[in-house]
Amino acid sequence: MKIDFDRIERSDGNFTWPNGARLAIVLSSEYEPVYQLKPLANGQPNYRQLAEIRYEATRGIWRVLNLLAQHKACCTFFVNGATAERFPDSVKAIADGGHEVAAHSWNAADHFTMSRAEEDQVIGRTVAAVTKATGERPAGWLTPRAQVSENTVELLFQHGFVWHSDCFDDDLPYSVNVDGKALIEVPRSTLTDDYAMLGTLTARPFGSPRDMLDVWVDEFDVLHRESKHGARLYSVNWHHCMMGRPAISKVLDQLLGHVNAHQGIWFARGKDIAAFWNARQ
């Protein structure tokens, strides 16, 4: 199913968020210590990269959860189904901390290469695993690498999702309507994703975490200034194999200190944004 995103109704920002806030702060992250990686040339698993990713579950997730608690900030964690199945205690700890556990497919396989039936099965399997780990059905979805197929949005409707975050085309949410139902898009920014600044596990060398902090702070400052004239949404996204490391975790610590020094902000999870937006409709 094709959606004409050029004809989506966009907001003019002439509203306020809850409690009179002008700028919504949406922190999101991808928790996927179980990940599908390409094998080495001889077919052997890439144990080095698997170990780097596994750090998310052994140390990284706990460091980030502690930082969020210190700054009294909530976050949406996009968790893949394989992780929810293998590390249910950490996934439950995320939910128990007041954060949202949203769905992030099964193990990072590309959805655009799947048949409709296969994609349907993957989404259903992911929902089941996340629900079992947290006791609550996920309301939000992020496709691996935000690369949806032509069937993804329609299948998300069928599986009862309320919102997703696969687009980068606005500073405010909007509704994607199919057959009289609305799926809320909570858009993100490429510049406020840690992979954009630091590379990936397969693309070295890393950039500077201080450069990333500068960009993230600048993005916040501009949106906060604009929010005096119209509501805005500030979104950042990170991966725990990066942000969970001691040195890079300082970026989150300093960013949240900067954000919390300002007035007129509202920390919101993706599902909070979706509930607010649906109520406005």
Side-chain angles (χ1 to χ4, degrees):
M1 181 189 70
K2 293 184 179 180
I3 297 173
D4 188 351
F5 283 91
D6 291 336
R7 298 184 183 278
I8 292 288
E9 183 178 353
R10 309 285 173 164
S11 172
D12 59 8
N14 188 23
F15 66 91
T16 57
W17 298 106
N19 303 318
R22 301 294 298 175
L23 180 60
I25 311 297
V26 179
L27 307 178
S28 68
S29 61
E30 296 171 41
Y31 181 47
E32 43 192 352
V34 185
Y35 196 94
Q36 178 176 285
L37 288 171
K38 292 181 179 179
L40 300 176
N42 61 1
Q44 175 181 296
N46 193 326
Y47 290 115
R48 184 262 174 92
Q49 287 188 13
L50 288 171
E52 290 200 47
I53 294 173
R54 190 164 57 248
Y55 185 85
E56 292 193 6
T58 59
R59 298 294 177 186
I61 189 68
W62 308 107
R63 181 170 289 115
V64 168
L65 285 173
N66 286 336
L67 275 175
L68 292 170
Q70 290 170 25
H71 289 278
K72 297 181 173 57
C74 58
C75 177
T76 292
F77 290 75
F78 292 106
V79 179
N80 67 22
T83 293
E85 183 178 76
R86 189 173 302 180
F87 298 105
D89 291 347
S90 59
V91 176
K92 184 66 163 56
I94 294 169
D96 289 347
H99 307 290
E100 177 181 10
V101 177
H104 190 34
S105 193
W106 184 255
N107 64 353
D110 290 323
H111 277 238
F112 57 86
T113 64
M114 299 177 185
S115 67
R116 181 185 178 92
E118 183 183 6
E119 186 176 13
D120 182 35
Q121 187 271 335
V122 167
I123 294 173
R125 185 184 182 193
T126 301
V127 169
V130 172
T131 302
K132 182 178 180 180
T134 65
E136 182 178 355
R137 186 182 181 89
W141 173 273
L142 173 65
T143 308
R145 291 162 294 281
Q147 293 283 5
V148 300
S149 76
E150 290 191 354
N151 298 310
T152 303
V153 171
E154 190 173 6
L155 288 172
L156 293 180
F157 273 107
Q158 294 178 10
H159 283 273
F161 283 93
V162 177
W163 70 278
H164 75 136
S165 190
D166 284 323
C167 293
F168 303 80
D169 55 356
D170 211 327
D171 294 323
L172 286 171
Y174 55 84
S175 298
V176 178
N177 299 302
V178 176
D179 296 331
K181 298 179 181 179
L183 185 70
I184 306 304
E185 172 63 32
V186 182
R188 301 184 292 144
S189 168
T190 302
L191 290 179
T192 51
D193 187 298
D194 57 357
Y195 272 11
M197 293 288 106
L198 302 181
T200 70
L201 293 174
T202 58
R204 311 282 187 154
F206 284 174
S208 166
R210 289 170 179 80
D211 292 339
M212 183 170 78
L213 177 62
D214 285 345
V215 172
W216 289 15
V217 166
D218 286 347
E219 185 105 343
F220 170 83
D221 287 346
V222 171
L223 289 172
H224 190 267
R225 183 174 65 248
E226 290 181 355
S227 72
K228 297 176 182 178
H229 309 288
R232 291 289 185 270
L233 183 149
Y234 172 71
S235 173
V236 298
N237 183 72
W238 64 82
H239 300 73
H240 292 90
C241 58
M242 314 275 266
M243 190 64 76
R245 293 285 176 176
I248 302 178
S249 71
K250 289 185 66 176
V251 171
L252 182 60
D253 190 16
Q254 294 175 18
L255 174 71
L256 292 178
H258 180 79
V259 169
N260 273 321
H262 291 73
Q263 301 295 317
I265 62 172
W266 173 48
F267 279 100
R269 302 161 298 183
K271 65 180 182 181
D272 302 324
I273 297 292
F276 175 87
W277 209 253
N278 273 322
R280 290 189 70 241
Q281 307 306 311

